[in-house]
């Protein structure tokens, strides 16, 4: 217990000198209601390699806090015992001192990290790091986000500062579909397999490593194919169109709300009489680096937006190779290595779904019957199959490659 107390004192001192990073989102609530509103907020502080954070769900009814639930509490670099104590202390503080207070009272609380006073003005308590973070997280929740459920959207959706389209439609009395997130589930574990079943070959980390067949890699070609072809739609916007296309463009708010992709957009509709379509600008999930070498062992590496296809149980990497040296190397040796890599900067874990490093390496062999040479446009020449070519013909601009996956290695 004395050791735990010393740890708390040290971390509290650290917190006093640290800058709190608050995960703010969206906008302030615009009204109160007798319905239960649920808000989410987070607060964290970092000192060197130790990060202490807390995420909470706050229920508000009749303008008072009725429940505070800790969604997650993390103390990187400390023991599980400390984490449990941290959570227990934060929860007890919220239940005893914060539940029952009005939203205004919570917002008015002032946290002090002065080592001489160490208190929260407006609350009778000897403040600790857990209580400081709890207040910060709850204030962040109340100031930063509209309810996850209930809400004041007339069509079942939640209206936020970013969701200007639904606010616009609600004001005009136009029915609009509930908002749906177009982003792919980036770090879902579905599709992974047990270590003993991993269809990979590697000696880099050894059979005892999590990377050998653990969830820190793509593990199987079937699962890798799913992630390889996954798109992450990071931008959904209105795009002006020169002509009207029924079902695709809109010139009125009513038409805009009826578009197939209206559920994905939050941006306010221009509503200026012009025609607009909804543009979903997607990006590939992982970076893909194609590595080739010539017959003398000279290596060339380039990043490409490669695709992938499956034909009768075989997997092929496809795409356009524009780097001359890469194309020359492929024609000379037929071989390549593709490094597929995702990086999650929010994670400190190295193994398991959603880890910091996620990906694989694919050993490839060019299929000469399906790879074509493309020529410069001004030559007016049709693409030709590579066949037995060992060098690029004159006027070649790129290769439309088809590379069969020979082996899959984990990222380790």
């Amino acid at each position: 217990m004395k050791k735990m107390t010393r740890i708390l004192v040290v971390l509290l001192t650290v917190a006093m000198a640290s800058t709190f990073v608050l995960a703010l989102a969206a906008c302030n609530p615009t009204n109160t209601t007798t319905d239960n509103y649920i808000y989410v907020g987070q607060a964290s502080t970092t000192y060197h390699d130790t990060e202490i954070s807390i995420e909470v769900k706050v229920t508000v009814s009749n303008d008072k806090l009725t429940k505070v639930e800790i969604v997650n509490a993390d103390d990187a670099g400390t023991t599980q015992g400390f984490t449990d104590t941290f959570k227990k202390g934060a929860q007890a503080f919220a239940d005893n001192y914060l539940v029952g207070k009005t939203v205004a009272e919570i917002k008015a609380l002032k946290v002090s990290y002065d080592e001489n006073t160490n208190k929260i003005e407006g609350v009778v308590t000897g403040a600790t790091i857990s209580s400081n973070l709890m207040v910060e997280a709850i204030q962040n929740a109340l100031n930063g986000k509209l309810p996850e459920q209930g809400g004041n959207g007339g069509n079942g959706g939640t209206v936020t500062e970013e969701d200007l389209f639904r606010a616009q439609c609600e004001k005009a009395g136009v029915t609009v579909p509930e908002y749906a997130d177009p982003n792919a589930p980036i770090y879902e574990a579905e599709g992974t397999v047990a270590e003993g079943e991993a269809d990979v070959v590697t000696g880099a980390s050894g059979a005892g490593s999590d990377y050998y067949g653990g969830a820190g890699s793509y593990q199987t070609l079937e699962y890798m194919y799913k992630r390889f072809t996954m798109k992450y739609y990071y931008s959904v916007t209105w795009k002006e169109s020169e002509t009207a296309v029924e079902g695709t463009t809109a010139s009125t708010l009513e038409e805009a709300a009826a578009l197939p992709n209206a559920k994905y957009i939050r941006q306010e509709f221009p509503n200026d009489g012009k025609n607009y379509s909804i543009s979903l600008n997607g990006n590939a999930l992982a970076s893909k680096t194609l590595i080739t070498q010539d017959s003398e062992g000279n290596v060339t590496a380039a990043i490409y937006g490669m695709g992938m296809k499956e034909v009768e149980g075989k997997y092929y990497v496809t795409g356009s190779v524009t780097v001359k040296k890469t194309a020359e190397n492929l024609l000379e040796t037929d071989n390549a290595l593709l490094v597929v890599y995702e990086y999650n900067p929010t994670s400190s874990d190295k193994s398991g779904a959603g880890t910091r490093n996620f990906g694989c390496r694919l050993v490839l062999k060019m299929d000469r019957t399906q790879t074509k040479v493309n020529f410069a446009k001004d030559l007016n020449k049709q693409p030709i199959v590579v066949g037995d070519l060992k060098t690029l013909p004159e006027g070649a601009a790129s290769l439309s490659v088809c590379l069969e996956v020979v082996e899959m290695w984990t990222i380790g």
Side-chain angles (χ1 to χ4, degrees):
M1 180 60 70
K2 290 183 178 179
K3 182 178 180 181
M4 183 62 67
T5 302
R6 287 197 296 270
I7 293 175
L8 285 169
V9 171
V10 170
L11 289 175
L12 178 58
T13 303
V14 167
M16 294 170 186
S18 302
T19 300
F20 272 79
V21 182
L22 302 181
L24 299 176
C27 65
N28 298 333
T30 55
N31 66 326
T32 56
T33 178
T34 56
D35 295 333
N36 284 345
Y37 273 29
I38 297 179
Y39 304 76
V40 177
Q42 183 187 50
S44 63
T45 185
T46 303
Y47 181 74
H48 293 307
D49 294 330
T50 301
E51 180 176 355
I52 306 168
S53 64
I54 189 168
E55 183 178 359
V56 298
K57 279 190 176 182
V58 182
T59 303
V60 175
S61 182
N62 292 321
D63 202 32
K64 289 186 177 181
L65 268 69
T66 58
K67 182 179 180 182
V68 176
E69 176 187 359
I70 297 176
V71 178
N72 184 46
D74 181 53
D75 308 283
T78 61
T79 65
Q80 182 60 47
F82 175 77
T83 300
D84 293 341
T85 301
F86 172 77
K87 290 172 65 176
K88 184 177 180 180
Q91 188 66 63
F93 168 75
D95 293 341
N96 293 329
Y97 296 106
L98 303 182
V99 170
K101 289 185 177 294
T102 66
V103 171
E105 288 173 331
I106 295 295
K107 290 183 177 181
L109 294 178
K110 295 182 179 179
V111 178
S112 171
Y113 298 102
D114 184 281
E115 59 183 302
N116 296 316
T117 57
N118 186 26
K119 66 179 182 179
I120 301 175
E121 294 182 17
V123 180
V124 182
T125 174
T128 64
I129 190 170
S130 59
S131 54
N132 289 335
L133 284 172
M134 177 61 81
V135 170
E136 294 278 1
I138 293 175
Q139 288 178 333
N140 176 40
L142 297 176
N143 288 323
K145 196 169 186 178
L146 277 170
E148 286 189 300
Q149 63 187 37
N152 52 10
N155 299 301
T158 298
V159 178
T160 70
E161 183 179 39
E162 294 178 351
D163 200 350
L164 300 178
F165 182 51
R166 269 150 203 83
Q168 181 186 23
C169 289
E170 181 182 354
K171 184 176 181 180
V174 174
T175 300
V176 63
E178 183 177 355
Y179 176 76
D181 189 350
N183 296 333
I186 298 179
Y187 294 114
E188 64 178 7
E190 183 181 354
T192 57
V193 296
E195 181 173 330
E197 301 172 359
D199 181 21
V200 295
V201 177
T202 180
S205 300
S209 168
D210 287 332
Y211 285 155
Y212 185 76
S217 74
Y218 283 151
Q219 301 182 325
T220 66
L221 280 173
E222 181 181 6
Y223 181 56
M224 185 268 167
Y225 172 68
K226 295 177 183 178
R227 296 189 70 82
F228 196 98
T229 56
M230 188 182 290
K231 291 287 187 180
Y232 181 77
Y233 290 103
Y234 61 91
S235 176
V236 187
T237 59
W238 294 107
K239 183 179 180 181
E240 187 176 344
S241 301
E242 293 183 2
T243 58
V245 180
E246 187 176 355
T248 301
T249 64
S251 60
T252 67
L253 194 57
E254 290 80 0
E255 291 174 349
L259 291 176
N261 289 331
K263 61 184 178 181
Y264 297 133
I265 196 163
R266 286 176 166 170
Q267 186 184 47
E268 188 174 48
F269 182 65
N271 209 21
D272 55 7
K274 298 179 181 178
N275 295 302
Y276 292 90
S277 62
I278 297 177
S279 173
L280 277 71
N281 296 315
N283 194 15
L285 185 61
S287 67
K288 304 173 181 71
T289 305
L290 189 65
I291 302 171
T292 60
Q293 63 180 18
D294 60 24
S295 58
E296 296 179 358
N298 299 307
V299 174
T300 299
I303 295 176
Y304 291 99
M306 310 298 285
M308 197 171 187
K309 68 179 182 179
E310 183 267 330
V311 180
E312 297 180 350
K314 291 185 177 182
Y315 293 88
Y316 299 86
V317 172
T318 60
S320 178
V321 172
T322 55
V323 176
K324 185 178 180 182
K325 188 58 181 175
T326 299
E328 290 175 344
N329 290 350
L330 283 171
L331 289 175
E332 188 176 347
T333 68
D334 289 356
N335 300 318
L337 179 71
L338 187 72
V339 179
V340 185
Y341 179 66
E342 298 176 31
Y343 175 63
N344 178 6
T346 66
S347 175
S348 59
D349 296 328
K350 289 186 176 180
S351 63
T355 55
R356 186 174 63 198
N357 305 302
F358 205 66
C360 67
R361 294 162 290 179
L362 300 177
V363 179
L364 308 172
K365 187 176 182 62
M366 185 170 65
D367 186 328
R368 288 181 167 267
T369 65
Q370 298 188 66
T371 297
K372 296 182 178 181
V373 178
N374 303 306
F375 295 92
K377 290 183 179 180
D378 58 359
L379 294 179
N380 256 343
K381 294 181 66 173
Q382 293 298 313
I384 61 172
V385 175
V386 166
D388 296 327
L389 287 176
K390 289 295 184 179
T391 58
L392 286 172
E394 187 176 351
S398 65
L399 290 182
S400 292
V401 297
C402 183
L403 309 168
E404 182 180 354
V405 179
V406 178
E407 282 187 284
M408 175 182 175
W409 301 344
T410 60
I411 200 172

